[in-house]
Amino acid sequence: MTTQQCTDRSGAASGNCAAGLFGFKASCRFSEILRPAASSVEGFGNCTYVSNPNFPSAATPGMCEYTINRICDDLCQVRLDFDNFQTSSPPGQGAAAMQFGDCSISGDTFTATSPIGVSPPVVCGTLSGQHMFVETGTSGDAAKISFTIASSAATYQIKVTYYQCSSLN
């Protein structure tokens, strides 16, 4: 979008993209701050960043949920890039075998929920540099993401990108 379109939508222009192909456009960064204690925030734009309050400082313990709205009719997937994601890890190999890999025991969980009933697994630990896709279905909200933070050292910044069904990506 143009720099003015970005500013009008409360975004921050951060460089140029598509130079020479579609004219000069700005990459637009939208930042949403996750609020503690079961808040719900809607109205994502493409390439929104979800960050804990005061990022990169630690998150406040609590539970929060975001609804990721459908921004177009041709939406098929939402990509979640974990630019920074540091939460408590599940018990290691020294723990009981039944607990190994169980994020609910760590106290910190991240859940992405697809409206079509096929959702990625619940995750925790160090995920910086990783990503996941969430299938959106064809109607209603695109997805929901929720956090449960119990530790005092969790930090996260997640980029949300929309992919249309017609996209070559």
Side-chain angles (χ1 to χ4, degrees):
M1 62 184 63
T2 67
T3 301
Q4 185 62 48
Q5 289 170 324
C6 179
T7 304
D8 290 347
R9 294 180 182 170
S10 301
S14 59
N16 295 322
C17 65
L21 297 175
F22 305 105
F24 290 98
K25 304 287 183 178
S27 293
C28 189
R29 180 178 173 142
F30 299 95
S31 292
E32 298 288 340
I33 303 300
L34 187 63
R35 295 172 180 89
S39 292
S40 178
V41 176
E42 299 183 12
F44 279 80
N46 204 15
C47 296
T48 294
Y49 283 79
V50 176
S51 302
N52 63 275
N54 302 317
F55 178 83
S57 297
T60 303
M63 184 175 176
C64 298
E65 180 177 89
Y66 277 93
T67 298
I68 302 173
N69 291 329
R70 181 174 303 281
I71 60 170
C72 63
D73 292 333
D74 189 31
L75 186 65
C76 276
Q77 294 179 326
V78 173
R79 179 178 167 144
L80 304 173
D81 285 285
F82 301 103
D83 287 355
N84 176 287
F85 194 94
Q86 305 286 326
T87 64
S88 294
S89 296
Q93 294 179 349
M98 294 300 290
Q99 296 177 350
F100 185 71
D102 185 352
C103 287
S104 66
I105 295 168
S106 76
D108 294 342
T109 60
F110 172 82
T111 306
T113 306
S114 168
I116 62 171
V118 181
S119 298
V122 174
V123 295
C124 60
T126 301
L127 300 173
S128 299
Q130 304 295 315
H131 67 270
M132 70 170 53
F133 284 90
V134 182
E135 299 295 324
T136 64
T138 57
S139 63
D141 294 328
K144 291 189 184 296
I145 57 175
S146 60
F147 299 84
T148 300
I149 301 296
S151 69
S152 61
T155 62
Y156 44 88
Q157 179 168 289
I158 303 168
K159 179 181 174 187
V160 179
T161 307
Y162 293 89
Y163 283 95
Q164 293 179 285
C165 302
S166 58
S167 171
L168 295 177
N169 289 330

